[in-house]
Amino acid sequence: MSSREHILSRIKKHKPQLIELPDLSVFAHEINTEKLVNDFINTSTTNASTVVNMIGQSINFDTYIPLFIAENFGDNAITYTPLNSSNKEILDFKSNHIDVFVTQPQIAVAENGCMWIHDKQMQQRIAAFASEHTLFIVDHKTIVPTMHQAYKALQINAHGYGVFIAGPSKTADIEQSLVIGAQGAVSNTVILV
Amino acid sequence: MSIHAKKASDFISNEERTNWHDGALWHVRNKRDISASKIPEWELLRSTASQIKENVLSNLDNYLIQFEEEAKKNGVHVHWAANDDEHNSIVSAILNKHNAKKVVKSKSMLTEECGLNHFLEDQGIEIIDTDLGERIIQLRDEPPSHIVLPAIHIKKEEVGELFHAKLGTEKGNADPTYLTRAARTHLNHKFFEADAAITGVNFAIAETGGIVICTNEGNADMGCHSAPVHIHCMGLEKLLPKAEHLGVFIRLLARSATGQPSTIYTSHYHKPESGKEMHIVIVDNGRSEQLGKEDFRNSLKCIRCGACMNTCPIYRRSGGHSYHATIPGPIGAILQPNRNLQEYSDLPFASTLCGSCSDVCPVKINIHEQLYKWRQEIYKHNELPKSKIIPLKVTTNILASSTMYNIMGKLARTSLKLLPDFLLYNKLNTWGKNRELPAPPKESFKEWYKKNKHE
Ligand code: SF4
């Protein structure tokens, strides 16, 4: 018998009587746009993201984003923007330094600042991690209250890989002192539109 | 003296350090409380999580089969390991196939349990732990002392010295930001040099065949996305039935662990990136046996948040290493005896049975009750530490007779007052060590009740 069969038969022998799954519909949350936006701004800020609130302002992305990047990350900042790129060439992140990775998350979560991005929005998975900074443009209408609503709205396997990112990478492994910028991006900016 | 008692007494011999360790963990426990109190439905989340895990355990074989089938459809290679040895040889076979000599690994208690690092190192493979805390203890050649905060026992000055010696940082610089940046640069090279990446798994989804990894540092993703092959090692109890169940667990995990509303990265892996390879190793290593022990099976619900350690008065004051086990603290003390009753018979006694662990556990494991049950098992199997046998026998006799109980109670109340300190705080009475005994009450509850019941 293979290990697989061994393991499965032992489980079959040892498992207790079937216990039903609980009802998840009890986790219902109020949808109040103003509160969701406020909560999302608060949790994101606590997670050390910089939030720029542009809700209600008409902006021309093609001019606003490059200007924003130049102002905040320097005129010569190298950006990786898979959203607008027709260039599908694979970039070697080992030898190429990227300053800013820009994308538009599909969904954002008020309770914890999580923002969902997937393969298509990254083009290369490493981009969201190896770039020095991340810049997310979040449509405030995509904010949901909690993870329950997020998982309901998403199909986690629609793409080969998807990730909730809630801020810049961080660690407190040295004496519990919080340091922003561990192995992933060292800063995260959210532009709320 | 038992191993835990011996190691704990070494640990507390440095009082200042003990207090510092105690305080650091209590601080984390506090953050957990603040975070949990902000969620009105917290208790409902806990009971729901517990029930989901109970469902998983009661249908585990079918969920595993479903998980494997879905993962294979996604182009993922699935392997089964009955024990630690088989796990290690599966991983090493994958690495050999890819001629991988340099491997980056993100935090995984399972590979720790299987002793993977040393196994691979013996074969000439370089394996680098990429979580900062794990890297620190790896450079010190030590095991982790906590499952979420592996380097919680180390002071920043010691990290400063270590990094100066191993990574060439400035001598005497112990600034956490400076040291973290140095590690970032060091690890960045390792990621891009790596031939393969290994990670643990927080959750596996039967319905979709995918796995979820939670980190703050981004190290698991840096590793998997830069190496051509990634291997995910999971205990077979990590399954959840459906994606929707993740909502419950992601909400609980980080809040229970560190008080954060979620980790910074919650990564969902279903397929490898084009041109790469993804492997999942499902590991038993005693778990399917534990499933058969009715009193202890629900310790398999554990999601490794570490909350029971942070809250435990014994753990905080004896340090993770005193448990001489991969998983320390209250949960370790109920998991380890299942592996080896003889070796770990001291651990269920490393507890006051105060129940604080069970109170904070996000999946409602009855940890302190299991500790108590293990003590009974150990007594039955005659694995009881000698220091416990004689006092226990005496206590049994006293408790069995009510007259004897009353007399002994009176004696204790008067003798605590009258006995000089050297009798109370002597070598035979380990309870007197580092403890001021409370002032004894003038009368017993029984005496008080008799006097007051008519008032
Ligand atoms: S037993 Fe409970 S509290 Fe302890 S690590 Fe596991 S899930 Fe967390």
Side-chain angles (χ1 to χ4, degrees), chain B residues 147 253 256 299 301-309 327 330-331 334 357 360-365 367:
Chain B
I147 59 176
L253 178 60
S256 300
S299 57
K301 297 192 298 187
C302 176
I303 55 171
R304 304 286 191 267
C305 72
C308 56
M309 290 160 209
I327 311 261
I331 181 67
I334 58 177
C357 46
V360 296
C361 177
V363 286
K364 298 190 102 163
I365 299 173
I367 308 171

Side-chain angles (χ1 to χ4, degrees), chain B residues 245-259:
Chain B
H245 297 121
L246 280 168
V248 175
F249 286 90
I250 302 297
R251 295 188 77 199
L252 284 166
L253 178 60
R255 286 185 174 100
S256 300
T258 58

